[in-house]
Amino acid sequence: MLLLVGYVIVLAASVGTYAVHGSLGALWVPLEYLAIIGLTTGYLVASNGPRSLKAVLGAIPSVLKGTPYNKALYMDLLALLFEILSKVRKEGLMSIEGDVENPEASPIFSKYPSIMKDHHVVEFITDYLRMMVGGNLNAFEIENLMDIEIETHHAEAHFPAHMMQSTAGAIPAMGIVVAVMGVVNVMGSVGAPPAVLGKMIGGALVGTFLGILLSYGFVEPIANQLNRQVEEGSKIYHVIKAVLLASMNGYAPQVAIEFGRKVLYSADRPSFIELEEDLKSRKGK
């Protein structure tokens, strides 16, 4: 939503202020718009394979949605991990084998629909719980594997943002190309009256105007929003990692989830008392 608010402010500050002392009709040069859109589309197609292009186009609509990563989600996550680890402590690692193999049918996982919505997170949790049940890897080996997986996920998730950042950097150059084509057209009409030449030159400069405005006012904010989403989306994996490793190193569930709580950003981090009260209230459900 804030992206759209920002767009309105950008348009008001640029086109709106221009309208006070200029003619909006002078900015309407359809072929300039068509050329900019075509060049940008060509840049995206030429810079990506089919899978990469699909990832970029699929990521763009997500910037209009609110972030799912908030305090409520993380409290659900910590409560889920606490419940699983408490079961392990009471009944042993083999007691969660059914939960790990089929989380959709698990009475524990099914309590937390907000977590179940993200199959990547569920897969991350169950994969490492499965390794813990197998008992063949120590905490050091699992930590290294977690780091590699998180790094891979982070790099993959960052690609659309990097691509949009690259596109934002290219669009002003596209605007210059369009402007130069307009100037070439003007040079071929040097015998025309000054009023006609002025209109043609103004139309050519619209290309430069469009390139800069679209780049810094519209495309780069999308790249920044995508980067923010990636950083927020990566934090949940670090929380899971901290909790599971603490458990593997012998800490009680109450202490293990405290490791995870400390990993959270301050805006999303419940207090110790807040989390403790939340866990107590869930026991009665």
Side-chain angles (χ1 to χ4, degrees):
M1 182 57 70
L2 284 179
L3 179 70
L4 298 179
V5 172
Y7 283 171
V8 170
I9 294 172
V10 167
L11 287 173
S14 56
V15 179
T17 54
Y18 169 80
V20 174
H21 58 78
S23 170
L24 286 177
L27 298 178
W28 180 241
V29 188
L31 290 179
E32 303 278 326
Y33 289 80
L34 184 62
I36 288 281
I37 293 171
L39 287 167
T40 302
T41 302
Y43 176 85
L44 278 170
V45 172
S47 301
N48 295 281
R51 184 183 300 176
S52 301
L53 189 60
K54 183 179 179 180
V56 173
L57 296 178
I60 292 174
S62 68
V63 301
L64 298 176
K65 301 177 183 177
T67 177
Y69 303 104
N70 51 38
K71 183 184 289 188
L73 177 73
Y74 286 120
M75 289 182 76
D76 280 349
L77 174 66
L78 293 173
L80 167 64
L81 294 173
F82 175 79
E83 193 167 346
I84 290 172
L85 296 179
S86 295
K87 185 176 180 180
V88 169
R89 196 169 184 84
K90 291 176 182 177
E91 304 173 28
L93 275 169
M94 294 305 295
S95 66
I96 62 168
E97 188 174 11
D99 300 295
V100 169
E101 295 302 329
N102 190 7
E104 290 79 11
S106 164
I108 297 179
F109 279 92
S110 60
K111 293 180 184 178
Y112 303 95
S114 61
I115 305 299
M116 292 298 293
K117 286 179 183 177
D118 193 330
H119 71 276
H120 292 296
V121 169
V122 174
E123 188 176 271
F124 189 82
I125 294 171
T126 54
D127 280 352
Y128 289 102
L129 286 174
R130 190 177 291 111
M131 291 181 190
M132 291 168 63
V133 171
N136 296 323
L137 296 175
N138 59 40
F140 178 75
E141 292 170 323
I142 287 185
E143 181 177 11
N144 283 338
L145 189 56
M146 283 180 169
D147 287 337
I148 293 170
E149 183 172 353
I150 291 172
E151 182 181 351
T152 300
H153 175 272
H154 195 72
E156 188 176 36
H158 255 305
F159 179 79
H162 289 324
M163 194 63 242
M164 292 307 295
Q165 198 79 53
S166 174
T167 302
I171 291 178
M174 308 295 188
I176 292 172
V177 169
V178 173
V180 169
M181 290 191 297
V183 170
V184 170
N185 187 39
V186 171
M187 297 305 292
S189 306
V190 290
V196 174
L197 287 176
K199 184 176 181 180
M200 293 176 69
I201 293 172
L205 291 175
V206 168
T208 304
F209 160 75
L210 278 177
I212 296 173
L213 179 64
L214 290 175
S215 172
Y216 299 109
F218 289 86
V219 179
E220 190 157 322
I222 293 177
N224 293 335
Q225 288 275 11
L226 289 174
N227 272 318
R228 178 188 59 78
Q229 286 182 354
V230 172
E231 296 304 321
E232 291 181 351
S234 294
K235 180 59 65 177
I236 195 167
Y237 297 96
H238 290 285
V239 173
I240 298 166
K241 170 189 167 184
V243 173
L244 294 185
L245 288 177
S247 178
M248 289 191 72
N249 284 315
Y251 290 99
Q254 293 89 338
V255 179
I257 63 166
E258 185 64 15
F259 277 71
R261 187 183 72 85
K262 286 295 187 182
V263 172
L264 290 169
Y265 294 122
S266 58
D268 300 322
R269 185 193 306 141
S271 67
F272 177 85
I273 299 298
E274 191 176 3
L275 180 58
E276 185 177 41
E277 291 297 323
D278 181 69
L279 292 176
K280 287 179 180 178
S281 68
R282 291 174 190 264
K283 285 183 180 179
K285 295 180 181 180

